[in-house]
Amino acid sequence: MIYQSEIALDKSLQTVLEDTFGTYAVVIDRHPSQLRSQEIGIVQSIGQGIARVVGLPHVQSEEIVRFTGGSLGLVFNLDPEEVGVILLDSSDTLQSGTEVRRTGKVLDVPVGDTLLGRVVDPLGRPLDGKGLVRTSQRRPAEREAPAIMDRAPVNVPLQTGVKAIDALIPIGRGQRELILGDRQTGKSGLALDTIINQKDKNILCIYCAIGQRSAAVAKLIADLYEHGAMAYTTVVMAAGEDPPGLRYVAPYTATAMAEYFMEQGRDVLIVYDDLTNHARAYRELSLLMRRPPGREAFPGDIFYIHSRLLERSTHLNAEHGGGSLTSLPILQTEAQNIAAYIPTNLISITDGQIYLSPILFQKGVLPAIEIGKSVSRVGGKTQLSAYRAVAGDLRLSYSQFEELESFSRFGTRLEESTRLTLERGRKVREILKQKQYAPMAAAVQIAVLLSVTAGLLDRVPISKIAIAEQAIAAAIPAQLADLCLQIEKGDVFAEEDREALLKVSETAIAKALEE
């Protein structure tokens, strides 16, 4: 019996193999092999982050090429005698004479939900030690921006949780708001607070670090983990020690990852930190490739490379899913010069700017936002009704206070009205201060700002303003939960709502000062 079963098994195996080879033969007959020519170039010279290649006569601009050993490059220059390639990997293993092969593909990156919570390089390769990023789709890094007719007006606010921004320089979903200032003034911290504030708001975040120190990015990622923000965030990192080619493509690949979510009808926030380093990387590559420099040694198309990047941030209309991509590009100025070449370029591309002053930073006014030089050209239309009712005149009165304060230093005698205006202004400035990693809900912001504009804090010493603010922040959600929900929804802010906020705030301030 055992012998017969073995014979039957052999016959069934033989039948399977015959069927398999028969199918294989049919497939080969249907698809006859064809000889194809493959272009193989030779590296002529290697520079700092670039390579000059000969022998690729049909290669196309922005095509990916592969060097022997697996290193990748991006075609940058097409000259009659040679091809200029920017390196996307280390050049340590490359030398003159290395073979280069065409791939016939443009630069693309993996996209999908599996990228959330991951730290990857600009090519989508993992940097967090959690294994490969497994996605089913890829998107080209360079894509045309959505057409004008595919866009919808920016009509929904993006709450940052920062009082000075949400009340005075509001941002809408689909807007491009530039954050600029000198180094070490809190630009990245402001963007980080905005990402943390999107928790439970159904907004996905992409943080693109361009040319930053690895230690600084590691600290930022640790802060995102600590505050539970990495669950909805992807970090795309091109460190300062990486090749300039990676720093150059980083914002484009990060935007491709964000566009995938936007086209699904979701809201996305992307932070570019920072575009000064991106411009420097592009300048470095251009000069190495012998492209003629223009103003301040930047090539003339520096405006174009940033505009084609930021134009991809928008709010799509309902026919295209209704998703939005909000961008917060960061820019570093030198010696407070916002009229330099790159800052003026980006200011003209974006829909407003938030300027961080080193003078305010040194005085301890944090976040160091200079209201007079900051503007939002779109977000005011999206602002919640309660903000418009409370903070409508706050920006103008605060700017007048700052001007009056500078003039009052020259006089010894002040009128009573002037003295009261200065005192109120100093308390507004104090109330606009906010610690990092402490985003504030919209209803609490409204109550705090209403308290100072309505005069509830006039008799409170400046040293106790923070105590009064904490009391208001604790009392409002506890006693006016329904009103808080109405404010968050954007319902009309009625007079009785205003009175209710003032009543609870006044009681909370009185109790706090008694203790």
Side-chain angles (χ1 to χ4, degrees), residues 69 100 123 139 146 152 156 183 235 314 327 337 342 449 472 476:
V100 188
L123 302 183
R139 292 287 178 93
V156 180
R183 64 184 301 273
V235 177
T314 187
S327 60
N337 182 15
I342 301 300
L449 295 173
I472 295 171
I476 294 299

Side-chain angles (χ1 to χ4, degrees), residues 457-475:
L457 300 179
D458 284 354
R459 296 184 180 180
V460 178
I462 288 182
S463 59
K464 294 186 177 181
I465 290 290
I467 297 174
E469 181 183 6
Q470 292 173 2
I472 295 171

Side-chain angles (χ1 to χ4, degrees), residues 29-47:
D29 291 339
R30 288 179 181 176
H31 300 279
S33 59
Q34 295 180 352
L35 294 176
R36 290 186 303 172
S37 63
Q38 184 177 24
E39 294 181 10
I40 301 178
I42 301 296
V43 173
Q44 193 174 40
S45 63
I46 292 287

Side-chain angles (χ1 to χ4, degrees), residues 175-219:
Q175 185 174 343
R176 300 156 299 183
E177 186 78 6
L178 179 65
I179 301 175
L180 75 164
D182 286 9
R183 64 184 301 273
Q184 298 297 322
T185 52
K187 303 184 295 299
S188 299
L190 204 60
L192 185 59
D193 280 345
T194 305
I195 292 175
I196 291 173
N197 193 56
Q198 306 317 309
K199 188 175 183 179
D200 300 326
K201 289 184 171 58
N202 200 25
I203 295 180
L204 306 178
C205 300
I206 309 284
Y207 178 82
C208 180
I210 311 167
Q212 304 292 320
R213 291 181 297 108
S214 298
V217 180
K219 171 67 167 60

Side-chain angles (χ1 to χ4, degrees), residues 403-422:
E403 186 175 356
L404 184 61
E405 186 182 39
S406 62
F407 278 108
S408 67
R409 295 170 185 164
F410 299 103
T412 54
R413 295 184 178 181
L414 297 175
E415 296 181 2
E416 184 65 18
S417 60
T418 304
R419 190 187 64 79
L420 291 175
T421 301
L422 288 171

Side-chain angles (χ1 to χ4, degrees), residues 219-258:
K219 171 67 167 60
L220 183 141
I221 294 170
D223 291 338
L224 289 174
Y225 274 114
E226 182 180 348
H227 294 87
M230 273 303 289
Y232 53 86
T233 302
T234 300
V235 177
V236 180
M237 177 180 171
E241 59 268 21
D242 287 336
L246 271 186
R247 284 178 270 145
Y248 167 63
V249 302
Y252 298 102
T253 57
T255 305
M257 297 174 187

Side-chain angles (χ1 to χ4, degrees), residues 85-154:
V85 177
I86 60 177
L87 304 179
L88 301 179
D89 289 298
S90 173
S91 60
D92 295 343
T93 60
L94 301 181
Q95 60 185 355
S96 179
T98 301
E99 289 187 353
V100 188
R101 297 174 185 267
R102 290 184 60 187
T103 64
K105 299 178 181 179
V106 296
L107 178 64
D108 61 2
V109 289
V111 295
D113 287 350
T114 53
L115 280 167
L116 296 175
R118 300 299 303 270
V119 182
V120 297
D121 75 353
L123 302 183
R125 298 174 296 200
L127 299 175
D128 51 9
K130 295 183 179 180
L132 292 175
V133 179
R134 302 187 184 278
T135 62
S136 59
Q137 297 187 48
R138 298 182 72 88
R139 292 287 178 93
E142 289 276 8
R143 301 182 68 200
E144 289 188 7
I148 296 297
M149 299 306 294
D150 297 342
R151 306 184 183 211
V154 176

Side-chain angles (χ1 to χ4, degrees), residues 404-459:
L404 184 61
E405 186 182 39
S406 62
F407 278 108
S408 67
R409 295 170 185 164
F410 299 103
T412 54
R413 295 184 178 181
L414 297 175
E415 296 181 2
E416 184 65 18
S417 60
T418 304
R419 190 187 64 79
L420 291 175
T421 301
L422 288 171
E423 191 66 24
R424 173 76 61 84
R426 291 189 182 102
K427 288 177 180 176
V428 170
R429 181 166 60 198
E430 190 68 23
I431 211 72
L432 288 178
K433 291 181 180 179
Q434 192 167 340
K435 293 181 179 180
Q436 194 172 0
Y437 309 135
M440 191 173 285
V444 176
Q445 292 185 32
I446 298 297
V448 168
L449 295 173
L450 187 59
S451 298
V452 69
T453 54
L456 296 185
L457 300 179
D458 284 354
R459 296 184 180 180

